[in-house]
Amino acid sequence: MSYRFRNFLFFVFFIVFVILTTIFSLYASGYKISFYSIVKGQALIQKTGILAVDSSPKGANVFITRQSKGLFFDDEVNKNKKIRTPYKIKNLLPGEYMLTLSLDGYWPWQQKFYINPGQSTYMEDVVLFKKDLPVSFFNSAFQNIKFNYGAQKIILESDKRLVDLKSGQEIYLGEGVDSLGFLDSKRALLNDSLIFDYFKNEYTNLSPSEGEKLIQPKIKGDNLFFIDNGLQKYNLYSERQEAIFSLDNIIDYDFYNGFYFLITKEKDKSSFQIYSYKNKDLIREIELPASEKYQIINPGISAFVYIYNEDFKNFYIINTSSKFNSYWSVVNNVKGFDFIDANNFIYFSDFEIYSFNSVLAEKFLLGRFEESIKSLTWHPKNYVIYSTEKDIVILDLKYDKYFIKIVSLESVSNIVLDKSNSVLYFSGIREGQEGLFRLFVQ
């Protein structure tokens, strides 16, 4: 080997060493050399970013595709690499990507994301929903279904039955039953006068006057409240009755946060009244459009009181901390709703779904659809589950309003989540068979 050739090899190895050292140093420092960036008029050396991804459940397969294919890059960034959540992917060039998560037995999840130079992008709260078939667990006519709190028990109005969803126990409530509803977590009301305690499996007529129907009955602790020439309180144990308000025009009532709330109706005038809980002094009175179809909705501890009108399909929101004798806000065309928390709720108006923030008195459009919405429910991990005439769809609000259609039947209605937010119950028709269905979503 000649001296000149040895020098040439040394020079080549030196250049390769410098180049590789530079590349590895840049890579360790969070930089990459991108020849395609020159074509796009950008710098040759690009500061990279990081993607942190996680899912519930964990162990989902991760696929990352670059939206703009480069000269030296495959469409699939992590091709032939087995990556599962949770995972942190480093040294991604700036730009737009597509992230896909897949897991056996679950619906695939897909979302675009953008990597900014020198920054970390977090997609760590992705919820994967089970890809399951709805199971019919009770054959019944397509009818109105009422769920108690947490969807532990249901009432079938036409079949006149109470069904325990966990044990499957069915209780026939009687041939003479015309009206059914839940009073609290352990009692159902029959014909507005007879109370059925399904923990004790016994009927009790707690109507103060034999045979009379209870108007707007509500149970708070050991007391039964109802409207009869005013607002009455009846203790379930001492069997003592006392008048709270002697008014003959009460439509609805409730009490929490240290106040009594009443809605009254006189001729062509309706009004909302706030009384102090202790002294029962009138604090404020707010006029409402004349109607007898008002209902006070209690979402929990809040400065706001929500009043729904079935005639107008409107929500009237009252701010109890305000000193003005007018409502805080009015939400029109509310066909159905569910509360996110005491200050926020979601609702649908035919083909649109909105969220409403009571503090800001502002609504936000969540989606506009080709098919009309029939029902919806809120999932606490920032999802809306809604139904159309035949489908049940999950709307992911965290990442660009991603849609997953999880059920398609001949007919669907009255969807509700159980207390664990993992089981969806609804009534439907499949292959001509009407009944109640159960679907595990998580």
Side-chain angles (χ1 to χ4, degrees), residues 47-62:
K47 180 71 172 176
T48 61
I50 297 173
L51 171 67
V53 58
D54 197 3
S55 66
S56 175
K58 301 181 185 299
N61 297 303
V62 179

Side-chain angles (χ1 to χ4, degrees), residues 32-38 42-46 93:
K32 263 187 178 181
I33 296 176
S34 174
F35 295 102
Y36 185 66
S37 299
I38 300 177
Q42 299 175 353
L44 173 64
I45 300 174
Q46 294 280 309
L93 287 170

Side-chain angles (χ1 to χ4, degrees), residues 19 45 85 92 137 155 159 169 186 188 212 234 236 238 275 294 326 335 344 357 360 371 374 379 400 405 420 423:
I19 292 173
I45 300 174
T85 57
L92 290 175
F137 68 95
I155 281 177
D159 289 345
Q169 180 188 12
K186 61 182 180 180
E212 282 192 15
Y234 180 81
L236 300 173
S238 67
Y275 292 85
Y294 285 108
S326 63
K335 298 297 182 66
N344 296 271
N357 183 287
L360 302 176
E371 296 181 82
K374 299 302 181 182
H379 192 288
D400 199 27
K405 185 186 293 186
S420 67
V423 184

